[in-house]
Amino acid sequence: MLNEKVKALLNDQVNKEMYSAYLYLDFSGFMGGKGLGGFAAWYKKQAEEEMEHAFKIYDYIHANNEEVELLAIAKPGVALTDELQVLKEGLKHEQYVTSLIHNIYKVAMEEKDYRTMQFMDWFIKEQCEEEENAQELIDKFEKYGKDAAALYELDKALGKRD
Ligand code: MG
């Protein structure tokens, strides 16, 4: 059994993680359209990771003998204009997800749900990495984006993400 408030937030987070996958799939398509196949592959891999996050929470809810209510996944709500803007939207989105994760932890703490606090530890660490990765993409694009040869190498390197 899970605390009702915590369960509702976890249920919503399944949806938010799937939305993240949608958003990154959208980014992937945009980057592919700009001829940046490596960036496109990187974001597609990121979309897969987001689905794994959703499944992790889905499994946790079920492991606690509770049901998951699958909600409608929103259409990606960010208008994509240029490469750097997309990268910055990625960071903004991860900062938003961090705030959601922190809120789940906060409510679990208030409700003395120690099990969920421990479960959320993984996501708190993961968000640190996600923000770091998003910032790194911005830094690299700002440094190499205007030099075609350097951008070619950067794109190739990002395409190797596994
Ligand atoms: Mg995630």
Side-chain angles (χ1 to χ4, degrees), residues 23-135:
L23 186 68
Y24 290 133
L25 209 50
D26 205 25
F27 287 9
S28 178
F30 180 86
M31 291 303 200
K34 293 281 176 192
L36 295 171
F39 278 85
W42 195 94
Y43 275 123
K44 201 169 175 193
K45 187 73 209 167
Q46 185 64 28
E48 281 175 26
E49 265 202 15
E50 299 304 344
M51 291 304 285
E52 284 171 23
H53 296 166
F55 292 159
K56 220 179 177 74
I57 302 168
Y58 175 94
D59 288 343
Y60 176 74
I61 296 171
H62 282 290
N64 283 279
N65 211 21
E66 301 277 6
E67 293 296 321
V68 175
E69 187 192 352
L70 292 175
L71 308 165
I73 302 166
K75 184 179 172 184
V78 182
L80 309 178
T81 55
D82 62 79
E83 294 91 327
L84 187 58
Q85 177 251 355
V86 168
L87 302 178
K88 287 182 174 172
E89 288 293 343
L91 177 61
K92 210 156 79 178
H93 181 70
E94 287 306 330
Q95 288 166 340
Y96 166 65
V97 173
T98 297
S99 75
L100 296 174
I101 297 292
H102 286 181
N103 185 53
I104 298 172
Y105 191 92
K106 176 178 158 276
V107 174
M109 189 157 64
E110 284 164 2
E111 299 298 325
K112 298 188 169 46
D113 180 349
Y114 305 115
R115 185 184 295 177
T116 299
M117 284 166 69
Q118 202 166 54
F119 173 68
M120 293 312 292
D121 277 347
W122 185 88
F123 286 89
I124 291 172
K125 276 189 220 135
E126 177 70 10
Q127 280 314 115
C128 179
E129 273 179 40
E130 299 286 37
E131 287 185 31
E132 192 185 359
N133 290 341
Q135 183 65 57

